Amino acid sequence: MKKTEHTSPVVVVTGGARGIGLEICNTFLKRDYRVAALDIDKATLAKTEASFNNPSFLAIACDVSKPAQVSRAMDRVEKKFGRIDALVNNAGVAIFKPILEVTWQDWRTIMDTNLDGAFWCTQACAKVMLKNGGGSVVNIASISGLRASTLRVAYGTSKAALIHLTKQQAAELGDVGIRVNCVAPGPVATEMAKLVHSKAIIKDYHDTIPMNRYGSTEEIANAVAFLCSREASYINGQTIAVDGGFDAAGVGLPTLRKSRTVASTRTSAK
């Protein structure tokens, strides 16, 4: 039986105006969720709201690093939809600099949004979730939280902390019916990535990813939707790297690929 407007589950997606967050919103709408998208970029958020033109979509301008704004936003979601069943902490910022050039403000900007924002949003959403017996939280970390990369000392550290925060939240909130898990995307083909990833960086990634390509926003969104679904009802405190095998790989992929090419050429010549 198709869910009605009043029985459809509700998901809150932070950083929902563009990129991975936008794809997550779209995926949940297709699965008959009511969706509340929070984003600090008011102009882009307004365009996103207009493009959906859907009564099941609520756009809220919010800086997730500000607890008071987060609290007001969750109050609006509860007032509009009556409940919250899932939260996706996707909002994040990145500043790429050599480690000795990172300023105090750089560090604070990244931690305030990537780590503190996820903490505040979960605190606020969990209180609403408990009124209806629980729910699911998915934190969006990064492969940079699992393995070190150059120029990402603040970003990578914030995502590593988010991965551990996931475990802390899962340990306590799981006891009251709220599952908390984490998705760590590898490089994803977003508009932002196209702007900041040079041909050399793209080659570096391909040289380290066994699947030899970037991921798509849809692939990330599908993993998030699964973790929020009943099919994942006994998964709690876990981090899933959606990265084409990037975290699993060591050195030697380019050499292996060359040797395969040579072997294939020899075989074809016979």
Side-chain angles (χ1 to χ4, degrees), residues 55-71:
S56 292
F57 182 81
L58 173 65
I60 302 175
C62 177
D63 181 347
V64 298
S65 72
K66 308 296 184 185
Q69 290 191 33
V70 169
S71 180

Side-chain angles (χ1 to χ4, degrees), residues 67-75 78 84 87 117-131:
Q69 290 191 33
V70 169
S71 180
R72 288 194 295 270
M74 300 314 168
D75 285 344
E78 186 178 16
I84 296 175
L87 165 67
F119 178 78
W120 297 126
C121 287
T122 303
Q123 294 289 93
C125 272
K127 294 172 183 176
V128 182
M129 288 178 180
L130 290 176
K131 296 178 183 179

Side-chain angles (χ1 to χ4, degrees), residues 17-84:
R18 61 158 65 90
I20 292 173
L22 176 59
E23 189 66 56
I24 291 170
C25 290
N26 189 44
T27 296
F28 276 104
L29 283 170
K30 289 179 180 178
R31 298 185 182 212
D32 292 326
Y33 275 72
R34 291 172 287 168
V35 177
L38 277 56
D39 207 289
I40 196 172
D41 184 343
K42 295 180 181 179
T44 303
L45 186 62
K47 292 178 182 178
T48 298
E49 183 177 29
S51 69
F52 280 128
N53 189 27
N54 188 329
S56 292
F57 182 81
L58 173 65
I60 302 175
C62 177
D63 181 347
V64 298
S65 72
K66 308 296 184 185
Q69 290 191 33
V70 169
S71 180
R72 288 194 295 270
M74 300 314 168
D75 285 344
R76 281 189 61 188
V77 176
E78 186 178 16
K79 184 176 181 180
K80 169 73 173 178
F81 293 136
R83 59 189 294 143
I84 296 175

Side-chain angles (χ1 to χ4, degrees), residues 190-220:
T190 62
E191 291 303 315
M192 184 176 294
K194 292 175 185 177
L195 291 174
V196 301
H197 288 190
S198 65
K199 290 182 179 179
I201 290 295
I202 293 171
K203 183 180 183 302
D204 286 343
Y205 272 123
H206 284 200
D207 284 349
T208 317
I209 299 171
M211 292 187 71
N212 200 24
R213 66 174 176 83
Y214 277 36
S216 69
T217 55
E218 184 178 8
E219 287 171 318
I220 306 303

